[in-house]
Amino acid sequence: MSRKASISRKTNETAVSVTVDIDGTGTSKISTGVGFFDHMLDQLSRHSLIDMEIETSGDLHVDDHHAVEDTGIAIGQAIAKALGDRRGITRYASLDLAMDETMTRAAVDVSGRPFLVWNVAFSAPKIGTFDTELVREFFQALAQNAGITLHIQNIYGANNHHIAETCFKSVARVLRAATEIDPRQQGRIPSTKGSLA
Ligand SMILES: [Mn+2]
């Protein structure tokens, strides 16, 4: 059973097309027009092992906000579609991820219930030309549209590039673990309710 899906989404602000393969090898082809964001999405794919093809054309003359948020929406929708009824998945995962001086914790429940708990503070409004507040916007859109409960906490760190990057890498790793098929589930939906939809 393949867990692949594509989403195309067009508004007056952006056009986004996303293809994901949950059971991939972490291969990606990403073009959003926002360099730092491409770098982060590359990490998300590489460390989740979810293959991602992402093409976004956005109203970057306004700012990066719509491109980042709408890309998050489309990735989330594609992941939800690819997961289907979430049969056989591991469902839960958490991880503390270190990168140089920074430590970030992510925990996920691939529950069908969208929720983001965001406990991350940046000490500067920008990383290069990228607005640091957009990191939260991305994960809000992802959690909402993928139907996952996602908690992200920066435990400590000084460098804002590292803080952002550990958010993407830790979420990548917990997504990988939680969406992995658990053979002991024997194809059951891991909920006493019988539904994660
Ligand atoms: Mn980096």
Side-chain angles (χ1 to χ4, degrees), residues 143-158:
Q144 192 69 36
N145 291 278
I148 60 176
T149 297
L150 184 60
H151 292 229
I152 308 172
Q153 179 179 20
N154 176 240
I155 301 168
Y156 45 75

Side-chain angles (χ1 to χ4, degrees), residues 103-119:
M103 174 84 82
T104 296
R105 170 176 296 160
V108 71
D109 177 7
V110 182
S111 55
R113 292 198 306 278
F115 208 100
L116 176 70
V117 174
W118 179 254
N119 200 341

Side-chain angles (χ1 to χ4, degrees), residues 21-146:
D21 180 355
I22 304 286
D23 303 299
T25 55
T27 305
S28 65
K29 198 169 154 224
I30 294 161
S31 171
T32 68
V34 181
F36 180 77
F37 188 42
D38 286 357
H39 175 45
M40 293 298 108
L41 294 177
D42 192 25
Q43 304 288 353
L44 186 64
S45 171
R46 184 68 188 82
H47 295 289
S48 65
L49 302 182
I50 298 174
D51 291 346
M52 296 184 182
E53 277 179 43
I54 300 167
E55 177 93 51
T56 299
S57 56
D59 53 356
L60 300 178
H61 60 281
V62 178
D63 67 5
D64 298 343
H65 192 116
H66 300 138
V68 170
E69 183 175 23
D70 293 356
T71 301
I73 290 170
I75 295 171
Q77 289 177 344
I79 288 173
K81 191 174 168 187
L83 288 173
D85 65 6
R86 310 184 180 210
R87 192 173 293 280
I89 63 169
T90 303
R91 183 174 169 180
Y92 298 102
S94 65
L95 178 80
D96 290 342
L97 189 131
M99 179 179 180
D100 297 348
E101 86 301 341
T102 298
M103 174 84 82
T104 296
R105 170 176 296 160
V108 71
D109 177 7
V110 182
S111 55
R113 292 198 306 278
F115 208 100
L116 176 70
V117 174
W118 179 254
N119 200 341
V120 179
F122 292 100
S123 61
K126 297 264 193 192
I127 300 167
T129 60
F130 187 81
D131 294 319
T132 48
E133 66 179 10
L134 295 181
V135 180
R136 180 189 184 143
E137 295 305 303
F138 172 78
F139 286 112
Q140 176 65 48
L142 181 74
Q144 192 69 36
N145 291 278

